[in-house]
Amino acid sequence: MTSETKAEEKSFFGHPRGLATLFGTEMWERFSWYGLRAILATFMAASPAVGGLGMGKGTAQALVGVYGALIYLVALPGGWVADRVLGARRAVLWGGLIIMFGHISMAIPARTGLFVALGLLLIIAGTGLLKPNISAMVGKLYPEDADARRDAGFSLFYLGINLGAFVAPIVVGWLADGDRWHLGFGAATVGMALGLVQYVAGRSRLRGAGDEPGHRLTSAEHRHFTLVALGSTAAIVVALTLWVLSGTFSLDAFALALTVVIVIVPVVYFGYILLGSHNLTPEERAGMRAYIWLFAAAAVFWMIYDLAPTVLLFFAADHTDLSLFGVRITAAATQSFNPLFIMIFVPVFAALWVKLGNRVTAPQKFAFALVMVGLSFVIMAAASALAGNGRVSVWWLVAVYLVQVFGELALSPVGLSVTTKLAPQAFKGQMLGVWFIAVSVGDAVGGQTGRLREHMSDPAYFLTLAAIAVVAGVLLFLFVPRLRVLMREHDHAPSGHQEI
């Protein structure tokens, strides 16, 4: 290896220079995503007199829930398109461009929901192309046998994610304060544009990573794919048009229908795996039965955890004294607590899992995570009861996010690891995407929990969700011996956090 090559590989904290390009691109893309998320629900619920869409909070919660759910669901087809048609590098480029146009649509100050719907649709499609494939490109920067360096590189990459997630709510929330919604959406546009500029400028540093599809379609397969894609799109458009013309369409019904579809997806998928032969061994079938329990636990966790941009945001805006150390903050800025705590506690939990080793298994970590997210909503119940029609200290939300992060660091880093471990040989590649479907299911169902608030008080709502999580966690603890038998081994926790 020449000295020039060595210098290149050590130019970004001892890693290939391409990592700097991908680090910056992902950081700015996450800035745009978390910036939009920080104000989307309050924008939807705000009165048209101040530039909002005038939706009920329950409707806004449901729509933000299915929006987040679709973001994770489209990672599966997005990865397939890159692997078979575009290649990862072009998929990330096109995805970033589509995301940017989506934010531009959101930033148009027109008093209609049409541009908002178009913008969200473009962001969903673009994220499906960008998110799974930029992570894949990080892995391709390293030789096959460089596992330690690759793991360290991913740690830096995920630091970029959390930096973007931390800064975005503060900046976008400040710009959008005072009902300047589209100024906030414009900042998200600028963030994605900066990410694209860095990505294009740093193309040469990627050293060909992701230039070509891994399994390019033949000409006949490409024509078939195009016909199926166009036919599916046309069928969806026709179905929605007929639904609207029938006079029964509503945003609440639309969100509910999408939620049902999203929940059905993993049911059909797991049924397909377990009911078909696929040459699965008895050990693989047992592992899949154990994985279904963990999948369901993860969905319950995300159902509560991802209420941050809706329920917790509304509470911050309506019932919280937004003063931190004597400095006024925006309601959106409270969502920066989560990534801040992640960056602080990742090394602590990484060291803890190493020290505990095999003594704590994946099911036990999942159960702990469920109990933690449940306890966070016990805190929310107390805060909402004290608030009444007034306001409580923002430190209540600080406590909620802190407890939730303890749960996330017990569940999120283990999720992909246990998925790869329990995946049958015939489904190794596909199963990595299945983990994200758990997030999708949780987000969609979480959005629908807003319907409960029409029939109960806020403290009762929070305690109901807390009880679901805690009971699920206790049940999982009780079933740990059985799951360990099905899994046939102890879990080895990875050393770093993987933020999704």
Side-chain angles (χ1 to χ4, degrees), residues 60-79:
Q61 179 180 339
L63 290 176
V64 172
V66 295
Y67 165 64
L70 291 173
I71 286 286
Y72 289 103
L73 194 64
V74 296
L76 280 173

Side-chain angles (χ1 to χ4, degrees), residues 402-450:
L402 177 63
V403 173
Q404 287 191 350
V405 163
F406 289 163
E408 184 192 359
L409 294 178
L411 180 140
S412 187
V414 182
L416 288 174
S417 175
V418 76
T419 297
T420 56
K421 182 174 66 176
L422 297 180
Q425 190 61 40
F427 297 91
K428 282 289 185 185
Q430 300 173 42
M431 284 294 294
L432 287 174
V434 172
W435 170 248
F436 294 108
I437 298 180
V439 187
S440 185
V441 170
D443 282 9
V445 175
Q448 292 301 317
T449 64

Side-chain angles (χ1 to χ4, degrees), residues 236-491:
I236 292 172
V237 171
V238 170
L240 286 175
T241 301
L242 292 176
W243 189 6
V244 171
L245 292 176
S246 72
T248 61
F249 179 87
S250 70
L251 291 176
D252 284 318
F254 176 67
L256 179 59
L258 282 178
T259 299
V260 171
V261 171
I262 290 167
V263 171
I264 289 174
V265 168
V267 174
V268 172
Y269 190 84
F270 287 128
Y272 169 71
I273 293 176
L274 291 175
L275 298 179
S277 63
H278 310 299
N279 295 319
L280 266 62
T281 65
E283 291 78 11
E284 287 178 330
R285 289 187 182 277
M288 283 306 302
R289 290 198 297 271
Y291 184 75
I292 291 173
W293 281 82
L294 299 179
F295 180 95
V300 172
F301 176 87
W302 297 116
M303 176 186 73
I304 295 176
Y305 188 88
D306 276 350
L307 290 177
T310 52
V311 175
L312 298 191
L313 178 61
F314 288 137
F315 185 85
D318 299 336
H319 299 293
T320 304
D321 177 13
L322 294 168
S323 178
L324 198 61
F325 299 111
V327 178
R328 183 187 176 276
I329 62 173
T330 64
T334 59
Q335 292 180 70
S336 290
F337 297 156
N338 174 281
L340 175 62
F341 287 140
I342 287 175
M343 289 187 287
I344 291 173
F345 286 101
V346 159
V348 176
F349 274 75
L352 176 63
W353 299 143
V354 171
K355 184 175 182 179
L356 291 175
N358 293 342
R359 288 174 290 173
V360 179
T361 63
Q364 290 170 318
K365 293 173 185 175
F366 275 52
F368 172 79
L370 285 170
V371 172
M372 286 296 99
V373 81
L375 289 179
S376 76
F377 264 34
V378 172
I379 297 173
M380 278 302 305
S384 61
L386 290 173
N389 294 321
R391 293 181 179 269
V392 296
S393 169
V394 73
W395 289 102
W396 283 95
L397 284 176
V398 172
V400 168
Y401 281 112
L402 177 63
V403 173
Q404 287 191 350
V405 163
F406 289 163
E408 184 192 359
L409 294 178
L411 180 140
S412 187
V414 182
L416 288 174
S417 175
V418 76
T419 297
T420 56
K421 182 174 66 176
L422 297 180
Q425 190 61 40
F427 297 91
K428 282 289 185 185
Q430 300 173 42
M431 284 294 294
L432 287 174
V434 172
W435 170 248
F436 294 108
I437 298 180
V439 187
S440 185
V441 170
D443 282 9
V445 175
Q448 292 301 317
T449 64
R451 298 173 184 267
L452 296 175
R453 306 183 77 179
E454 301 171 3
H455 308 287
M456 59 179 61
S457 65
D458 280 354
Y461 168 77
F462 289 122
L463 285 176
T464 299
L465 294 185
I468 292 172
V470 172
V471 169
V474 171
L475 287 175
L476 194 58
F477 268 124
L478 295 176
F479 275 87
V480 164
R482 174 61 179 161
L483 292 176
R484 291 177 66 182
V485 171
L486 291 174
M487 295 170 65
R488 291 182 173 270
E489 61 180 344
H490 295 286
D491 178 67

Side-chain angles (χ1 to χ4, degrees), residues 48-219:
V50 295
L53 297 183
M55 297 180 184
K57 290 181 178 178
T59 301
Q61 179 180 339
L63 290 176
V64 172
V66 295
Y67 165 64
L70 291 173
I71 286 286
Y72 289 103
L73 194 64
V74 296
L76 280 173
W80 186 90
V81 169
D83 191 44
R84 298 301 182 94
V85 182
L86 294 175
R89 183 182 61 79
R90 280 185 289 273
V92 170
L93 177 62
W94 281 105
L97 285 170
I98 294 170
I99 291 170
M100 186 180 70
F101 284 121
H103 285 299
I104 290 173
S105 183
M106 293 287 297
I108 295 174
R111 295 184 179 274
T112 172
L114 179 61
F115 288 108
V116 176
L118 175 62
L120 294 179
L121 184 62
L122 289 173
I123 293 169
I124 290 169
T127 305
L129 286 173
L130 185 148
K131 186 158 183 60
N133 296 308
I134 195 168
S135 296
M137 289 177 68
V138 172
K140 292 177 181 178
L141 292 175
Y142 300 87
E144 290 291 333
D145 58 350
D147 290 343
R149 291 189 67 223
R150 185 184 299 107
D151 288 348
F154 268 106
S155 295
L156 280 174
F157 180 71
Y158 289 118
L159 174 62
I161 291 175
N162 286 296
L163 282 174
F166 171 70
V167 175
I170 299 173
V171 173
V172 174
W174 173 70
L175 289 172
D177 197 27
D179 305 319
R180 299 173 302 200
W181 309 108
H182 298 287
L183 189 58
F185 295 141
T189 305
V190 172
M192 190 65 254
L194 289 172
L196 282 170
V197 168
Q198 180 162 354
Y199 185 69
V200 173
R203 174 184 173 181
S204 61
R205 300 175 178 176
L206 299 176
R207 299 185 296 184
D211 278 358
E212 296 297 328
H215 306 280
R216 186 185 292 275
L217 296 177
T218 64
S219 297

